[in-house]
Amino acid sequence: MHGVGQILQQNRAGVLDAWLAKLRDTAPGAQPGSLQLLKLELSTLVEKLTAYFLLDDGDGAGPAFKAVEEQAATISAACVRDGLTPMETATLILSLKTIAGEMLDRETSAKATELYRMRTALDAVVDRLALITFAAFVETREEIIKRQGRALLDLATPALPIWRNIILMPLVGIIDTQRARQVMEWLLEALSREEARIAILDVTGVPLIDSRVALHLTKTVEAARLLGSQVIVTGISPDAAQTLVKLDVDLSNMITRGTLRAGLAEAFRLLGPHAKGAHETML
């Protein structure tokens, strides 16, 4: 495919300008700074695509095409960060087929059969790049969602030292298996880090306490006990309490209090006489 490579090499600036114009039509909301960065990345893609065709590496394998794939994935990831949709990203890549194809029609003097062969090779490569960019787009977006989810969990599950030897972990939202594991891990880390003797686990903001959540709570209490600490669970609602009784969940080894205030009072009581002044001040 030397002919495709030579034409791309000779008309690189024209192909890039037409591609950027297509990008502006495809994603009119894109910021100027983002467009400038995409211009550099698209320019690199055209350069690597040209090198691939000049090598006549038509089997879609080898280091030349690998470089093209990697650059296409980089562009796709940039499109995610810049807020482009999957449709806009796919349209951007597929538009190269039309832009470069028209360039071939104008610039080549090859016979119809040779032109058809060049267009077919170009279309096959661009179609493959479109699939690669779509996969990279989905992967990048999922990774961003996971990072945002982890950040939200960090914010929603703080371990706060509120008094000497006492930490508080207020829970808000749904507790699934993954989050329950994180609650246990972060609570135990906080107990060790703060050298705390008491942890108050407040579940007032948890809308549903079922048998699975209760099981995770009991495991957390037992793990804390192995570190020489005690856990007080506060904020179990009347509805949740009735549900747990119906499910026959054994909470006999767990210290529970109806409110956070009552949990604090129990924490100071457990700490002993040296916390009496603090207890009376808090109440």
Side-chain angles (χ1 to χ4, degrees):
M1 290 298 107
H2 291 291
V4 178
Q6 290 170 353
I7 291 173
L8 286 176
Q9 189 175 49
Q10 294 166 2
N11 298 274
R12 178 180 168 186
V15 170
L16 187 58
D17 289 343
W19 209 357
L20 288 172
K22 187 68 175 179
L23 173 60
R24 295 187 186 96
D25 294 338
T26 303
Q31 298 298 315
S34 299
L35 289 175
Q36 189 63 29
L37 291 174
L38 270 175
K39 179 180 180 180
L40 296 174
E41 290 162 348
L42 292 175
S43 176
T44 302
L45 180 59
V46 172
E47 178 183 344
K48 293 183 177 181
L49 192 62
T50 301
Y52 164 74
F53 279 115
L54 285 174
L55 287 172
D56 198 19
D57 191 3
D59 59 356
F65 193 76
K66 185 68 174 177
V68 178
E69 286 182 322
E70 291 174 352
Q71 184 61 24
T74 298
I75 291 173
S76 184
C79 289
V80 177
R81 291 190 292 271
D82 292 337
L84 273 68
T85 66
M87 179 65 72
E88 290 170 341
T89 304
T91 301
L92 169 64
I93 297 300
L94 290 172
S95 63
L96 179 61
K97 187 187 297 186
T98 302
I99 294 168
E102 291 175 351
M103 194 74 67
L104 287 176
D105 292 342
R106 289 197 306 269
E107 300 295 330
T108 187
S109 58
K111 296 179 180 179
T113 54
E114 179 65 17
L115 178 61
Y116 174 79
R117 193 168 69 87
M118 288 192 293
R119 287 291 299 264
T120 300
L122 175 66
D123 291 353
V125 168
V126 175
D127 287 341
R128 183 168 175 180
L129 291 180
L131 293 175
I132 292 168
T133 54
F134 181 79
F137 188 99
V138 172
E139 182 178 346
T140 302
R141 188 164 63 177
E142 287 180 350
E143 181 58 32
I144 290 174
I145 291 172
K146 287 179 181 178
R147 287 202 303 267
Q148 291 173 339
R150 287 194 293 268
L152 289 174
L153 282 177
D154 290 342
L155 293 173
T157 317
L160 311 170
I162 58 172
W163 208 268
R164 184 179 181 182
N165 295 320
I166 302 176
I167 62 172
L168 168 66
M169 179 176 280
L171 302 182
V172 178
I174 300 296
I175 300 181
D176 56 14
T177 302
Q178 179 183 0
R179 189 179 179 199
R181 289 198 208 99
Q182 291 174 327
V183 167
M184 180 186 295
E185 179 182 338
W186 293 339
L187 184 64
L188 296 179
E189 287 179 357
L191 285 170
S192 178
R193 182 180 64 250
E194 302 294 336
E195 298 182 349
R197 293 171 52 195
I198 308 291
I200 300 175
L201 199 59
D202 184 63
V203 297
T204 304
V206 178
L208 178 63
I209 304 287
D210 57 15
S211 57
R212 182 173 299 177
V213 174
L215 176 61
H216 290 308
L217 291 177
T218 57
K219 288 182 177 179
T220 302
V221 170
E222 291 300 322
R225 189 169 296 166
L226 292 175
L227 294 180
S229 303
Q230 291 177 286
V231 177
I232 302 169
V233 180
T234 65
I236 296 178
S237 67
D239 289 341
Q242 291 181 31
T243 300
L244 294 175
V245 169
K246 292 177 182 177
L247 294 172
D248 197 23
V249 177
D250 183 12
L251 302 178
S252 59
N253 294 326
M254 186 184 299
I255 303 174
T256 60
R257 292 294 181 268
T259 64
L260 179 56
R261 178 175 177 175
L264 283 169
E266 178 64 16
F268 286 124
R269 187 190 69 79
L270 292 172
L271 286 178
H274 64 281
K276 183 178 179 182
H279 178 192
E280 293 174 348
T281 301
M282 296 292 290
L283 295 180

